[in-house]
Amino acid sequence: MKLDKIDYQIIDMLQQDGRMTIRDMAQQLKLSTTPIFNRIKKLEADGVIEKYIAKINPKKVDKGLFAFVHLSIKEHSKEAVDIIVAQVISFPEVMECHYVTGGADFVLKVLVKNMEEYNQFVTEKLFTVKNISKIDSLLSLSIPKHSNKIPLEY
């Protein structure tokens, strides 16, 4: 699917406000509602728009500690990596799991309530994952920027 400028503008608007009405989009783009509706349905069908979610303030739901966890593994076969991925992504505390190059094999973005809960996560969950040789943690002190918005050029 080739996206045009209007598609990118629609995507950008929805990234800013996922509840924006088709009518408001149409007014801003100076189009009628039908082509906007059809474009959104096509973007959804083609998998450009995967789903709509609410952005939650972690502190308001008693989650105050972000940790970035670097995992190094012993064995690097496809099967071994697949097993680790399956285990790690099953943990609800893991918000993101990236298979990376460099000093670590995986980088996890983990969200928990506090240091005590993080300790439990590491000892009761990560320590149960076979094939991990090293765990390094980076704890977030503050979050000057937090965005889910993909930068677009159009």
Side-chain angles (χ1 to χ4, degrees):
M1 169 181 187
K2 180 133 173 67
L3 303 176
D4 65 16
K5 184 176 181 176
I6 294 171
D7 293 322
Y8 280 111
Q9 289 173 314
I10 291 168
I11 294 165
D12 214 21
M13 287 180 205
L14 287 171
Q15 286 191 112
Q16 284 295 116
D17 179 2
R19 295 180 66 175
M20 182 179 231
T21 66
I22 291 171
R23 183 177 173 177
D24 289 342
M25 281 187 235
Q27 286 176 339
Q28 287 186 31
L29 296 172
K30 299 180 182 9
L31 296 170
S32 66
T33 57
T34 302
I36 302 295
F37 176 81
N38 291 338
R39 283 174 180 263
I40 290 171
K41 289 300 169 200
K42 178 125 177 66
L43 291 166
E44 291 169 349
D46 290 344
V48 175
I49 297 173
E50 293 180 346
K51 66 179 172 177
Y52 299 88
I53 61 168
K55 185 176 177 186
I56 307 300
N57 181 333
K59 290 180 181 174
K60 299 287 185 180
V61 292
D62 206 20
K63 299 291 181 181
L65 181 65
F66 278 100
F68 297 89
V69 183
H70 295 192
L71 299 179
S72 298
I73 61 176
K74 298 173 197 167
E75 184 186 341
H76 290 83
S77 70
K78 181 180 179 343
E79 297 80 23
V81 169
D82 288 346
I83 289 168
I84 287 175
V85 168
Q87 283 184 280
V88 166
I89 67 173
S90 74
F91 303 143
E93 299 89 349
V94 175
M95 297 183 68
E96 295 179 23
C97 174
H98 298 262
Y99 188 34
V100 298
T101 62
D105 297 301
F106 291 93
V107 175
L108 310 178
K109 180 180 174 183
V110 174
L111 179 60
V112 292
K113 181 177 182 173
N114 53 30
M115 185 56 97
E116 182 180 331
E117 195 172 289
Y118 182 67
N119 182 48
Q120 285 181 313
F121 168 74
V122 172
T123 58
E124 295 174 15
K125 293 186 177 179
L126 282 184
F127 283 176
T128 67
V129 179
K130 303 253 187 280
N131 195 31
I132 292 177
S133 64
K134 185 177 178 185
I135 300 171
D136 286 321
S137 300
L138 301 168
L139 303 176
S140 178
L141 299 175
S142 69
I143 306 170
K145 180 178 182 181
H146 178 246
S147 176
N148 294 328
K149 189 173 187 260
I150 295 173
L152 302 173
E153 295 179 23
Y154 51 92

